[in-house]
Amino acid sequence: MIEFMEDVNQESKLSFSTKFFYGFGSISFGIKNNGFSYFVLFVYVFVFELPAWMAGLALNLILVADAVTDPLVGYYSDRLRSKWGRRHPFMYAAAIPVTISFYFLWSPPDNLTNLQLFLYLLICATIIRVFITFYEIPSIALGPELTSNYVERTSLMSYRYFFGWFGGLTTYNLVWWYFAPKYETEIYTSGRFNPDLWPEYGLVAALLILLGIVVTSLGTHKHIPNLIEPPVKKKKEIPEGFNDISIFKRQALTFNFSLPTKIADFQAKTVLFYLLQFSLVVVFYWILGNTLRTLGFIFANLFSNRIESLQKTEFFIKSLAKEVAETLTINRSYKFLFFCGLLVSVAGGIEAAFAVIFDSYFWELDDNEMLIRGTSIYLAPIIAILLAPMLSDKFGKKQTVLYIWAFQIIFAALPFALRYMDLIYGTSLFPTNNSPYLLPVLCIHVVINVAAAIIVFSTIGSMIMDLVEDIQLETGRREEGILFSARTFADKAVSGLGLTLAGAILSIIAFPDNTQIREIYNGTVPSEILADLALWYIPICIVSFGSALIMVRGYTLSRNKHEENITNPDTKVWKGD
């Protein structure tokens, strides 16, 4: 048996070209993610001068589109039967819409009112998020089919993170290398605040997004014949008695406030996990469920002659939701990683939204210093792509995540905590902004911090890959798309919440806008406001990331169990549906 497992793992090892083409397209997601995380809030608030709360609200409202498209793309990219396989039709379809909409995001018409600018941001961002989903979910879902090898999956994910960071860093650094110096004027001594900069940034970034999507789609096309094909979808008939439970009926309207059995069976030792579950129950079972009952009652009375059609549509949606819910909830390890992702995204959204603000006002880095620090970050994904597979092989994936992440959480917050102490208590624990040591210390810090983060999240990504076969043996279905779509939706949903919270924090501490900073404060932000910003930022990030780390302890799939799963012939075919 051991010899057989070794043979399987040898056969599962991938060539460099396969890893390259699988990973390269992540530059598209990296560029989009970098733009949304680091620049959108900054540009719309400090450059286009949209009120912070409106910008945050717009970025949060696009979750409505994500809530629909993410699970649907995941579901159908698992089940699509075509000559181009399950994944590639979606990937090809995404290329042009994402490219065009990303360019226009950074080029709003002149003289828009605040409401018009809010709607413009909302529409452009929604189109981008919908069509990047068409690419990102199917492309990442290819990974588990390309290899079943325990270590190679970590290597595959580290390539993906390498190119994602490379793409994001390149467009980020171009702002400091090229665009900011080019657009410096007497009015805008730092080009990043010049509105004319951002359309050119948008054009370059959009073309690179197009390149990434096309290269990965074409480069992985040759693997289509070797990928699993789903069975022909059987038409499901509406069962007897469905009319009695349908929301589309004309009888008296009733509401449901009961709790599912698993939530009612509360255990004190898992307080955080059950609080999160209970929150989802309140949202989906109570608020959403009873809202749908009310709407169904109204529609049934308004369109009484179409009740049968409405009930067929309802049955289809409920059947789809039931399959998706079974896939996402049947495995304990996946549930822990899902909630881990939610917590990470809250902190990540806040962290990313404040990044440029911290660089500009907290550390007071000029364009050249930002250029140097941004360039140094290129070392981080190189370190991670080498170390992530080695650490997974030597220590196992779960232990790698637990130890590296615990270090990274504290290390990431350290400079901000030390500077906060300096601002409040007058200590000298961290180099001042005028010190020649500030930039080298920040460069070393960011390289180590980002390398550790990439190791952690590429390893978690490969842990999700390993759960594909574990879940398949329970459901009979091969559903990488659903598993990754839930994760990406959670990431986008709560990172949107993070962006909203970031905008709210800026309003609460009365952080000045660009005009006030330039005209009232002579280009600097008062130290008491900076201290307030750090005081909000540090505990939110530590608590959110720390809680996410605790969730990883709930992952139970071992390397031996994974290697047993991949030798099971039931993981090579789609048996259920």
Side-chain angles (χ1 to χ4, degrees), residues 427-496:
T427 55
S428 300
L429 300 175
F430 201 76
T432 66
N433 289 353
N434 295 324
S435 170
Y437 300 108
L438 177 67
L439 184 59
V441 169
L442 290 179
C443 288
I444 294 170
H445 175 266
V446 77
V447 170
I448 296 173
N449 184 42
V450 171
I454 295 174
I455 291 170
V456 167
F457 295 118
S458 61
T459 305
I460 289 177
S462 72
M463 290 163 72
I464 294 174
M465 284 187 176
D466 293 342
L467 289 174
V468 168
E469 291 86 6
D470 207 44
I471 294 172
Q472 184 183 3
L473 290 173
E474 297 184 75
T475 66
R477 302 187 295 270
R478 183 88 179 192
E479 296 178 302
E480 301 95 332
I482 288 177
L483 295 177
F484 281 107
S485 70
R487 282 275 299 177
T488 56
F489 172 66
D491 176 65
K492 288 186 288 188
V494 193
S495 65

Coordinates of all heavy atoms in Angstrom, one line a residue, residues 427-496:
T427 N 7.9 58.1 24.2 CA 9.1 57.1 24.2 C 9.8 57.2 22.8 O 9.3 57.9 21.9 CB 8.6 55.7 24.5 OG1 7.6 55.3 23.5 CG2 8.0 55.6 25.9
S428 N 10.8 56.5 22.7 CA 11.6 56.4 21.4 C 11.8 54.9 21.1 O 13.0 54.4 20.9 CB 12.9 57.1 21.5 OG 12.7 58.5 21.8
L429 N 10.7 54.1 21.0 CA 10.8 52.7 20.8 C 11.0 52.3 19.3 O 11.4 51.2 19.0 CB 9.6 52.0 21.3 CG 9.3 52.2 22.8 CD1 8.0 51.6 23.2 CD2 10.5 51.6 23.6
F430 N 10.6 53.3 18.4 CA 10.7 53.0 17.0 C 11.3 54.2 16.3 O 11.1 55.3 16.7 CB 9.3 52.8 16.4 CG 9.2 52.0 15.1 CD1 9.4 50.6 15.1 CD2 9.0 52.7 13.9 CE1 9.4 49.9 13.9 CE2 9.0 52.0 12.7 CZ 9.2 50.6 12.7
P431 N 12.1 54.0 15.2 CA 12.7 55.1 14.5 C 11.7 56.2 14.1 O 10.6 55.9 13.7 CB 13.3 54.5 13.3 CG 13.6 53.1 13.6 CD 12.4 52.7 14.6
T432 N 12.0 57.4 14.3 CA 11.1 58.5 13.9 C 11.1 58.6 12.4 O 11.9 58.0 11.7 CB 11.7 59.9 14.5 OG1 12.9 60.2 13.9 CG2 11.8 59.8 16.0
N433 N 10.1 59.4 11.9 CA 10.0 59.6 10.5 C 11.1 60.3 9.8 O 11.3 60.2 8.6 CB 8.7 60.3 10.2 CG 7.4 59.4 10.5 OD1 7.6 58.3 10.8 ND2 6.3 60.0 10.4
N434 N 11.9 61.0 10.6 CA 13.1 61.7 10.1 C 14.4 60.8 10.2 O 15.4 61.2 9.7 CB 13.3 63.0 10.8 CG 12.2 64.0 10.6 OD1 11.7 64.1 9.5 ND2 11.9 64.7 11.6
S435 N 14.3 59.7 10.8 CA 15.4 58.8 11.0 C 15.8 58.1 9.7 O 15.0 57.6 9.0 CB 15.1 57.8 12.1 OG 16.2 56.8 12.2
P436 N 17.2 58.0 9.5 CA 17.6 57.2 8.3 C 17.4 55.7 8.5 O 17.5 55.0 7.5 CB 19.1 57.5 8.3 CG 19.5 57.9 9.7 CD 18.3 58.6 10.2
Y437 N 17.0 55.3 9.7 CA 16.8 53.8 9.9 C 15.4 53.4 9.7 O 15.1 52.2 9.6 CB 17.2 53.5 11.4 CG 18.6 53.8 11.7 CD1 19.0 54.8 12.6 CD2 19.6 53.0 11.2 CE1 20.3 55.1 12.9 CE2 21.0 53.2 11.5 CZ 21.3 54.3 12.4 OH 22.6 54.5 12.7
L438 N 14.5 54.4 9.5 CA 13.0 54.1 9.4 C 12.8 53.2 8.1 O 12.2 52.1 8.2 CB 12.2 55.3 9.3 CG 10.7 55.1 9.1 CD1 10.1 54.4 10.2 CD2 10.0 56.4 8.7
L439 N 13.3 53.7 7.0 CA 13.0 52.9 5.7 C 13.6 51.5 5.7 O 12.9 50.6 5.4 CB 13.5 53.8 4.5 CG 13.2 53.1 3.2 CD1 11.7 53.0 3.0 CD2 13.7 54.0 2.1
P440 N 14.9 51.3 6.1 CA 15.4 50.0 6.2 C 14.6 49.1 7.1 O 14.3 47.9 6.8 CB 16.8 50.2 6.7 CG 17.2 51.5 6.3 CD 15.9 52.3 6.4
V441 N 14.2 49.6 8.3 CA 13.4 48.8 9.2 C 12.1 48.4 8.6 O 11.6 47.2 8.7 CB 13.2 49.5 10.5 CG1 12.2 48.8 11.4 CG2 14.6 49.6 11.3
L442 N 11.4 49.4 8.0 CA 10.1 49.1 7.3 C 10.2 48.1 6.2 O 9.4 47.2 6.0 CB 9.5 50.4 6.8 CG 9.0 51.3 7.9 CD1 8.4 52.6 7.3 CD2 7.9 50.7 8.8
C443 N 11.3 48.1 5.4 CA 11.6 47.2 4.3 C 11.7 45.8 4.8 O 11.2 44.8 4.3 CB 12.8 47.6 3.5 SG 12.5 49.1 2.5
I444 N 12.6 45.6 5.9 CA 12.8 44.3 6.4 C 11.5 43.8 7.0 O 11.2 42.6 6.8 CB 13.9 44.4 7.5 CG1 15.3 44.7 6.9 CG2 14.0 43.1 8.3 CD1 16.4 45.1 7.9
H445 N 10.8 44.6 7.7 CA 9.5 44.2 8.3 C 8.5 43.7 7.3 O 7.9 42.6 7.4 CB 8.9 45.3 9.1 CG 7.6 45.0 9.7 ND1 6.4 45.3 9.0 CD2 7.2 44.4 10.8 CE1 5.4 44.9 9.8 NE2 5.9 44.4 10.9
V446 N 8.4 44.5 6.2 CA 7.4 44.1 5.2 C 7.7 42.9 4.4 O 6.9 42.0 4.1 CB 7.1 45.3 4.2 CG1 8.2 45.5 3.2 CG2 5.7 45.1 3.6
V447 N 9.0 42.6 4.2 CA 9.4 41.4 3.5 C 9.1 40.2 4.3 O 8.5 39.2 3.9 CB 10.9 41.5 3.1 CG1 11.4 40.1 2.6 CG2 11.2 42.5 2.0
I448 N 9.5 40.2 5.6 CA 9.3 39.1 6.5 C 7.8 38.9 6.7 O 7.2 37.7 6.6 CB 10.0 39.3 7.8 CG1 11.5 39.3 7.6 CG2 9.6 38.2 8.8 CD1 12.3 39.7 8.9
N449 N 7.1 40.0 6.9 CA 5.6 39.9 7.2 C 4.9 39.3 6.0 O 4.0 38.4 6.1 CB 5.1 41.3 7.5 CG 3.6 41.3 7.9 OD1 3.2 40.4 8.6 ND2 2.9 42.2 7.3
V450 N 5.1 39.8 4.8 CA 4.4 39.3 3.6 C 4.8 37.9 3.2 O 4.0 37.1 2.9 CB 4.7 40.3 2.4 CG1 4.2 39.7 1.1 CG2 4.1 41.6 2.7
A451 N 6.1 37.5 3.4 CA 6.5 36.2 3.1 C 5.8 35.2 4.0 O 5.3 34.1 3.6 CB 8.0 36.0 3.3
A452 N 5.7 35.5 5.3 CA 5.0 34.7 6.2 C 3.5 34.5 5.9 O 3.0 33.4 5.9 CB 5.2 35.2 7.7
A453 N 2.9 35.7 5.5 CA 1.5 35.6 5.1 C 1.3 34.8 3.9 O 0.3 34.0 3.8 CB 1.0 37.0 4.9
I454 N 2.1 34.9 2.9 CA 2.0 34.0 1.7 C 2.1 32.6 2.0 O 1.4 31.7 1.5 CB 3.0 34.5 0.6 CG1 2.7 35.9 0.1 CG2 2.9 33.5 -0.6 CD1 3.7 36.5 -0.8
I455 N 3.1 32.2 2.8 CA 3.3 30.8 3.3 C 2.0 30.3 3.9 O 1.5 29.2 3.6 CB 4.5 30.7 4.2 CG1 5.8 30.9 3.5 CG2 4.5 29.3 4.9 CD1 7.0 31.0 4.4
V456 N 1.4 31.1 4.8 CA 0.2 30.7 5.5 C -1.0 30.5 4.6 O -1.6 29.5 4.6 CB -0.2 31.8 6.6 CG1 -1.6 31.6 7.1 CG2 0.8 31.8 7.7
F457 N -1.2 31.5 3.7 CA -2.4 31.4 2.9 C -2.3 30.5 1.7 O -3.3 29.9 1.3 CB -2.9 32.8 2.5 CG -3.3 33.7 3.7 CD1 -2.6 34.8 4.0 CD2 -4.3 33.3 4.5 CE1 -2.9 35.6 5.1 CE2 -4.6 34.0 5.6 CZ -3.9 35.2 5.9
S458 N -1.1 30.3 1.2 CA -1.0 29.3 0.1 C -1.1 27.9 0.7 O -1.7 27.0 0.1 CB 0.4 29.4 -0.6 OG 1.5 29.3 0.3
T459 N -0.6 27.7 2.0 CA -0.8 26.4 2.6 C -2.3 26.1 3.0 O -2.8 25.0 2.8 CB 0.0 26.4 3.9 OG1 1.4 26.7 3.6 CG2 0.0 25.0 4.6
I460 N -3.0 27.2 3.4 CA -4.4 27.0 3.7 C -5.2 26.7 2.4 O -6.1 25.8 2.4 CB -5.0 28.3 4.3 CG1 -4.5 28.4 5.8 CG2 -6.5 28.2 4.3 CD1 -5.0 29.7 6.5
G461 N -4.8 27.3 1.3 CA -5.4 27.0 0.0 C -5.2 25.5 -0.4 O -6.1 24.9 -0.9
S462 N -4.0 25.0 -0.1 CA -3.8 23.6 -0.5 C -4.5 22.7 0.5 O -4.8 21.5 0.2 CB -2.3 23.3 -0.5 OG -1.7 23.3 0.8
M463 N -4.7 23.1 1.7 CA -5.5 22.3 2.7 C -7.0 22.2 2.2 O -7.6 21.1 2.3 CB -5.5 23.0 4.1 CG -4.1 22.9 4.8 SD -4.0 24.1 6.1 CE -5.0 23.4 7.4
I464 N -7.5 23.3 1.6 CA -8.8 23.2 1.0 C -8.8 22.2 -0.2 O -9.8 21.4 -0.4 CB -9.3 24.6 0.5 CG1 -9.5 25.5 1.8 CG2 -10.6 24.5 -0.3 CD1 -9.9 26.9 1.4
M465 N -7.8 22.3 -1.0 CA -7.6 21.3 -2.1 C -7.7 19.9 -1.6 O -8.4 19.0 -2.2 CB -6.3 21.5 -2.8 CG -6.2 22.7 -3.8 SD -4.7 22.7 -4.7 CE -4.9 24.1 -5.8
D466 N -7.0 19.6 -0.5 CA -7.0 18.2 0.0 C -8.4 17.8 0.5 O -8.7 16.6 0.6 CB -6.0 18.1 1.2 CG -4.6 18.3 0.7 OD1 -4.3 18.2 -0.5 OD2 -3.7 18.6 1.6
L467 N -9.2 18.7 0.9 CA -10.6 18.4 1.3 C -11.5 18.0 0.2 O -12.6 17.4 0.4 CB -11.2 19.5 2.1 CG -10.6 19.9 3.5 CD1 -11.2 21.1 4.0 CD2 -10.8 18.7 4.4
V468 N -11.1 18.3 -1.1 CA -12.0 18.0 -2.2 C -12.3 16.5 -2.2 O -13.5 16.1 -2.4 CB -11.3 18.4 -3.5 CG1 -12.0 17.8 -4.7 CG2 -11.2 19.9 -3.6
E469 N -11.3 15.6 -2.1 CA -11.5 14.2 -2.2 C -12.3 13.7 -0.9 O -13.1 12.8 -1.0 CB -10.2 13.4 -2.3 CG -9.6 13.5 -3.7 CD -8.7 14.8 -3.8 OE1 -8.5 15.4 -2.7 OE2 -8.2 15.1 -4.9
D470 N -11.9 14.3 0.2 CA -12.6 13.9 1.5 C -14.1 14.2 1.4 O -14.9 13.3 1.9 CB -11.9 14.7 2.6 CG -12.0 14.0 4.0 OD1 -11.7 12.8 4.0 OD2 -12.3 14.7 5.0
I471 N -14.5 15.3 0.9 CA -15.9 15.6 0.7 C -16.5 14.8 -0.4 O -17.7 14.4 -0.3 CB -16.0 17.1 0.5 CG1 -15.6 17.9 1.7 CG2 -17.5 17.5 0.1 CD1 -15.5 19.4 1.5
Q472 N -15.8 14.6 -1.5 CA -16.3 13.8 -2.6 C -16.7 12.4 -2.1 O -17.7 11.8 -2.6 CB -15.3 13.7 -3.7 CG -15.8 12.9 -4.9 CD -14.7 12.8 -6.0 OE1 -13.6 13.2 -5.8 NE2 -15.1 12.2 -7.1
L473 N -15.9 11.8 -1.2 CA -16.2 10.4 -0.7 C -17.5 10.4 0.1 O -18.1 9.4 0.3 CB -15.1 9.9 0.1 CG -13.8 9.6 -0.7 CD1 -12.7 9.2 0.3 CD2 -14.1 8.4 -1.6
E474 N -17.9 11.6 0.6 CA -19.2 11.7 1.4 C -20.4 12.0 0.5 O -21.5 11.5 0.8 CB -19.0 12.7 2.5 CG -18.0 12.4 3.5 CD -17.9 13.4 4.7 OE1 -18.8 13.3 5.5 OE2 -17.0 14.2 4.7
T475 N -20.2 12.9 -0.5 CA -21.3 13.3 -1.3 C -21.4 12.6 -2.7 O -22.5 12.6 -3.3 CB -21.2 14.8 -1.6 OG1 -20.1 15.1 -2.4 CG2 -21.1 15.6 -0.3
G476 N -20.3 12.0 -3.1 CA -20.2 11.4 -4.5 C -20.0 12.4 -5.6 O -19.9 12.1 -6.7
R477 N -19.9 13.7 -5.2 CA -19.8 14.8 -6.2 C -18.4 15.4 -6.1 O -17.9 15.6 -5.0 CB -20.9 15.8 -6.0 CG -22.3 15.3 -6.1 CD -23.3 16.4 -6.1 NE -23.3 17.2 -4.8 CZ -24.0 16.9 -3.8 NH1 -24.8 15.8 -3.8 NH2 -23.9 17.6 -2.6
R478 N -17.9 15.8 -7.3 CA -16.6 16.5 -7.3 C -16.8 18.0 -7.5 O -17.1 18.4 -8.6 CB -15.8 15.9 -8.5 CG -14.4 16.5 -8.6 CD -13.4 15.7 -7.9 NE -12.0 16.3 -8.0 CZ -10.9 15.7 -7.6 NH1 -11.0 14.5 -7.0 NH2 -9.7 16.2 -7.8
E479 N -16.7 18.8 -6.4 CA -17.2 20.1 -6.5 C -16.2 21.1 -6.0 O -16.4 21.9 -5.0 CB -18.5 20.2 -5.6 CG -19.6 19.4 -6.2 CD -20.9 19.4 -5.4 OE1 -20.8 19.0 -4.2 OE2 -21.9 19.8 -5.9
E480 N -15.1 21.2 -6.7 CA -14.0 22.2 -6.3 C -14.6 23.6 -6.5 O -14.2 24.5 -5.7 CB -12.8 22.0 -7.2 CG -12.1 20.7 -7.2 CD -12.6 19.7 -8.3 OE1 -13.8 19.9 -8.7 OE2 -11.9 18.8 -8.7
G481 N -15.4 23.8 -7.5 CA -15.9 25.2 -7.7 C -16.7 25.7 -6.6 O -16.6 26.8 -6.2
I482 N -17.6 24.9 -6.0 CA -18.4 25.3 -4.9 C -17.6 25.6 -3.7 O -17.8 26.6 -3.0 CB -19.5 24.2 -4.6 CG1 -20.6 24.2 -5.7 CG2 -20.1 24.5 -3.2 CD1 -21.6 23.2 -5.5
L483 N -16.6 24.7 -3.4 CA -15.8 24.9 -2.2 C -15.0 26.2 -2.3 O -14.9 26.9 -1.3 CB -14.8 23.7 -2.1 CG -15.4 22.3 -1.8 CD1 -14.4 21.2 -1.8 CD2 -16.2 22.4 -0.5
F484 N -14.4 26.5 -3.5 CA -13.6 27.7 -3.6 C -14.5 28.9 -3.7 O -14.2 30.0 -3.3 CB -12.7 27.6 -4.8 CG -11.4 26.8 -4.4 CD1 -11.2 25.5 -4.9 CD2 -10.5 27.3 -3.6 CE1 -10.1 24.8 -4.6 CE2 -9.3 26.6 -3.3 CZ -9.1 25.3 -3.8
S485 N -15.7 28.8 -4.3 CA -16.6 29.9 -4.5 C -17.1 30.4 -3.1 O -17.2 31.6 -2.9 CB -17.8 29.6 -5.4 OG -18.7 28.7 -4.7
A486 N -17.4 29.5 -2.2 CA -17.8 29.9 -0.9 C -16.7 30.6 -0.2 O -16.9 31.6 0.5 CB -18.2 28.6 0.0
R487 N -15.4 30.2 -0.4 CA -14.3 30.9 0.3 C -14.1 32.3 -0.3 O -13.9 33.2 0.4 CB -13.0 30.0 0.1 CG -12.9 28.9 1.0 CD -12.3 29.3 2.3 NE -11.0 29.8 2.1 CZ -10.2 30.3 3.1 NH1 -10.7 30.3 4.3 NH2 -9.0 30.8 2.8
T488 N -14.2 32.4 -1.7 CA -14.0 33.7 -2.3 C -15.1 34.6 -2.0 O -14.9 35.8 -1.8 CB -13.8 33.5 -3.8 OG1 -15.0 32.9 -4.4 CG2 -12.6 32.7 -4.2
F489 N -16.4 34.1 -1.9 CA -17.5 35.0 -1.5 C -17.3 35.5 -0.1 O -17.5 36.7 0.2 CB -18.8 34.3 -1.6 CG -19.9 35.1 -1.1 CD1 -20.3 36.3 -1.7 CD2 -20.6 34.7 0.1 CE1 -21.3 37.1 -1.1 CE2 -21.6 35.5 0.6 CZ -22.0 36.7 0.0
A490 N -16.9 34.6 0.8 CA -16.6 35.0 2.2 C -15.6 36.1 2.2 O -15.7 37.1 2.9 CB -16.2 33.8 3.0
D491 N -14.5 35.9 1.4 CA -13.4 36.8 1.4 C -13.9 38.2 0.9 O -13.7 39.2 1.5 CB -12.3 36.3 0.5 CG -11.2 37.3 0.3 OD1 -10.5 37.6 1.3 OD2 -11.0 37.8 -0.8
K492 N -14.7 38.2 -0.2 CA -15.1 39.4 -0.8 C -16.2 40.1 0.2 O -16.2 41.3 0.4 CB -15.7 39.2 -2.2 CG -14.6 38.9 -3.2 CD -15.2 38.9 -4.6 CE -16.0 37.6 -4.8 NZ -16.4 37.5 -6.3
A493 N -17.1 39.2 0.7 CA -18.1 39.8 1.5 C -17.6 40.5 2.8 O -18.0 41.6 3.1 CB -19.1 38.6 2.0
V494 N -16.7 39.8 3.5 CA -16.3 40.4 4.7 C -15.1 41.4 4.5 O -15.0 42.3 5.3 CB -15.8 39.3 5.7 CG1 -15.7 39.8 7.1 CG2 -16.9 38.2 5.7
S495 N -14.4 41.3 3.4 CA -13.4 42.3 3.1 C -14.2 43.6 2.7 O -13.7 44.7 3.1 CB -12.5 41.9 1.9 OG -13.2 41.8 0.7
G496 N -15.3 43.5 2.1 CA -16.2 44.6 1.8 C -16.6 45.2 3.2 O -16.7 46.5 3.3

